[in-house]
């Protein structure tokens, strides 16, 4: 069974940009490097954005939670809860190694982590990443049909797990109820079921209705990192915290695993990584801006929610990378 799964995930052939089938390993490596270098880099990179309006703002107490000093107990908890069977990053050390040798390593790890929170700088080797290509369907040959999962170094994951644990405590107060994924105390199933109930009898009853399902393609890979930082600042996150988030998402370098062997070395200027513990929270924060814009459009009567006569009104639902927009016309068309 293991051999069968490995065979299904192996990269036997690839299509290049011109549609030619590649079987030579060197040609496949060159094509993968070209594709992902292009995907994670853009030339027309926006760095200036319009005023960003947010519905909920971070409290000073929340910022104090984020800024508190890192303790050995925090790191101990992360080590204890880590899955020892997960793949290692480029340095080759996974959670099992840290668990086995923790008594020898813990004070050195604590120093590295505290240095990051104090200086806001990461050693570049810590943030190097292997991209593992997981096919989305059987027999995938187009690189667009592979999901690039980032294998980050475990030391980097310790840092970002600390950041995630702190953000988890304050996210519920910042993210609107339209989003249910990755928020403590909310269930992704809620919006899935609610969307199903709302569209089940969509064609019944009078009046015109509009339902738009947005399935965000390569959502993580195309996020503008400067925009992430701007939204964080607009939501009231402390400059100190935003600087450390920015260091984590702007400093990675990549190599691609082809048949288990790393190839290439390139940087990036956009995207957040699938496999980085921070990414789900950052993507949720980015989507909160979309949610705010929808609510502003409703307030300005530019759009009208489907059930505008009941409270609370529902104009959109968001879960993970799917958004449902549920609208009714601003006014019925006149009969000729």
């Amino acid at each position: 069974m293991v051999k069968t799964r490995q065979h299904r995930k192996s990269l036997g052939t690839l299509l290049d940009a011109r549609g030619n089938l590649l079987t030579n390993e060197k040609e496949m490596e060159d094509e993968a490097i070209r594709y992902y270098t292009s995907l994670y880099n853009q030339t027309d990179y926006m760095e200036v954005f319009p005023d960003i309006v947010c519905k909920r703002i971070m409290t000073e107490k929340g910022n104090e939670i984020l800024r508190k000093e890192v303790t050995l107990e925090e790191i101990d908890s992360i080590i204890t809860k880590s899955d020892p069977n997960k793949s290692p990053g480029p340095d080759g050390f996974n959670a099992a190694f840290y668990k086995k040798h923790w008594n020898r390593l813990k004070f050195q790890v604590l120093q590295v982590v505290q240095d990051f929170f104090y200086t806001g700088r990461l050693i570049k080797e810590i943030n190097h990443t292997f991209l593992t290509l997981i096919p989305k369907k059987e027999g995938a040959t187009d690189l667009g049909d592979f999901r690039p999962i980032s294998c980050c170094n475990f030391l980097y994951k310790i840092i970002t797990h600390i950041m995630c644990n702190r953000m988890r405590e304050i996210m519920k107060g910042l993210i609107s109820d339209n989003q249910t994924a990755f928020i403590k105390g909310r269930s992704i199933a809620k919006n899935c079921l609610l969307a199903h109930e709302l569209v089940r009898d969509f064609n019944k009853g009078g009046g015109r209705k509009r339902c738009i399902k947005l399935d965000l393609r390569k959502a993580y890979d195309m996020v503008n990192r400067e925009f992430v930082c701007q939204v964080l600042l607009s939501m009231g996150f402390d400059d100190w915290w935003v600087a450390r988030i920015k260091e984590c998402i702007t400093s990675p370098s990549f190599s691609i695993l082809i048949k288990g062997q790393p190839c290439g070395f390139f940087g990036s200027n956009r995207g957040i990584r699938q496999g980085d513990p921070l990414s789900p929270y950052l993507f949720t924060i980015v989507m909160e801006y979309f949610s705010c814009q929808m609510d502003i459009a409703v307030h300005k009567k530019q759009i009208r929610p489907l059930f505008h006569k009941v409270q609370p009104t529902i104009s959109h639902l968001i879960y993970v990378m799917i958004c449902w927009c549920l609208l009714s016309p601003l006014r019925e068309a006149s009969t000729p």
Side-chain angles (χ1 to χ4, degrees):
M1 184 179 292
V2 172
K3 288 184 177 180
T4 301
R5 290 178 64 186
Q6 288 176 342
H7 176 72
R8 288 176 179 173
K9 293 182 180 181
S10 63
L11 201 60
T13 58
L14 272 184
L15 290 175
D16 65 13
R18 298 179 180 178
N20 300 317
L21 191 64
L22 306 177
T23 56
N24 180 273
E25 189 169 327
K26 181 63 168 64
E27 291 178 341
M28 288 194 294
E29 290 177 0
D30 292 342
E31 179 60 22
I33 293 168
R34 182 204 64 79
Y35 179 86
Y36 285 104
T37 302
S38 175
L39 178 63
Y40 291 135
N41 290 275
Q42 61 186 105
T43 53
D44 54 340
Y45 196 80
M46 287 184 63
E47 295 183 348
V48 179
F49 304 97
D51 291 337
I52 297 174
V53 178
C54 298
K55 289 183 283 187
R56 304 179 184 183
I57 302 298
M58 170 75 78
T59 63
E60 182 55 36
K61 183 179 179 180
N63 277 317
E64 288 175 1
I65 292 173
L66 300 179
R67 289 194 303 260
K68 66 182 180 180
E69 186 177 356
V70 176
T71 64
L72 187 58
E73 288 71 23
E74 277 186 282
I75 304 177
D76 276 332
S77 175
I78 291 167
I79 297 296
T80 302
K81 295 176 183 178
S82 296
D83 183 355
N85 299 313
K86 284 198 171 183
S87 299
D91 64 9
F93 301 118
N94 63 0
F97 171 83
Y98 282 83
K99 283 175 178 284
K100 184 176 181 179
H101 302 285
W102 185 235
N103 286 334
R104 296 181 181 180
L105 296 173
K106 57 185 177 182
F107 292 110
Q108 291 93 326
V109 172
L110 176 63
Q111 183 178 355
V112 171
V113 175
Q114 287 181 335
D115 282 349
F116 166 74
F117 279 90
Y118 180 73
T119 65
R121 292 288 179 265
L122 276 173
I123 300 172
K124 61 182 180 180
E125 287 81 6
I126 292 178
N127 213 2
H128 186 54
T129 306
F130 281 165
L131 288 179
T132 302
L133 307 183
I134 306 298
K136 299 177 184 177
K137 62 182 183 181
E138 189 78 20
T141 55
D142 190 309
L143 282 166
D145 293 328
F146 288 85
R147 182 175 289 107
I149 303 299
S150 295
C151 294
C152 303
N153 288 317
F154 188 73
L155 185 54
Y156 172 80
K157 285 187 174 183
I158 292 174
I159 292 171
T160 51
H161 273 303
I162 291 171
M163 300 175 79
C164 288
N165 289 341
R166 296 180 179 190
M167 289 183 69
R168 186 180 297 117
E169 299 303 315
I170 50 93
M171 286 287 283
K172 187 175 181 180
L174 294 174
I175 303 301
S176 58
D177 294 335
N178 303 83
Q179 296 200 70
T180 54
F182 311 123
I183 305 299
K184 183 179 179 180
R186 300 183 192 176
S187 170
I188 186 176
K190 177 183 176 182
N191 274 2
C192 295
L193 294 172
L194 182 55
H196 174 75
E197 289 297 318
L198 290 175
V199 302
R200 183 179 58 181
D201 300 323
F202 203 71
N203 293 324
K204 296 180 181 179
R208 295 179 299 163
K209 304 170 186 177
R210 299 291 183 270
C211 177
I212 305 171
K213 180 185 178 184
L214 305 177
D215 193 347
L216 305 178
R217 177 179 175 269
K218 296 196 176 298
Y220 279 22
D221 302 328
M222 295 186 178
V223 168
N224 186 307
R225 295 166 179 172
E226 291 295 333
F227 182 71
V228 173
C229 296
Q230 288 299 315
V231 175
L232 287 169
L233 291 170
S234 298
M235 294 179 79
F237 282 83
D238 192 274
D239 290 354
W240 182 92
W241 183 260
V242 176
R244 279 140 189 81
I245 292 285
K246 187 173 183 178
E247 178 69 9
C248 288
I249 64 176
T250 60
S251 63
S253 56
F254 297 92
S255 295
I256 305 172
L257 292 178
I258 303 292
K259 297 184 178 180
Q261 297 299 317
C263 64
F265 184 92
F266 57 92
S268 60
N269 64 12
R270 74 169 172 186
I272 51 179
R273 293 166 288 179
Q274 296 187 57
D276 183 344
L278 275 175
S279 294
Y281 291 105
L282 298 182
F283 187 75
T284 300
I285 286 170
V286 169
M287 291 304 294
E288 182 64 12
Y289 173 75
F290 173 83
S291 181
C292 290
Q293 293 302 111
M294 289 289 290
D295 287 345
I296 290 171
V298 170
H299 180 72
K300 293 182 176 180
K301 298 184 178 180
Q302 295 171 334
I303 60 174
R304 188 166 68 173
L306 181 61
F307 302 103
H308 57 279
K309 295 181 181 179
V310 297
Q311 294 294 332
T313 60
I314 301 174
S315 61
H316 61 286
L317 298 169
I318 302 171
Y319 49 95
V320 195
M321 300 178 192
I322 296 176
C323 176
W324 290 85
C325 300
L326 303 156
L327 308 172
S328 60
L330 290 175
R331 55 188 174 185
E332 296 291 337
S334 58
T335 305

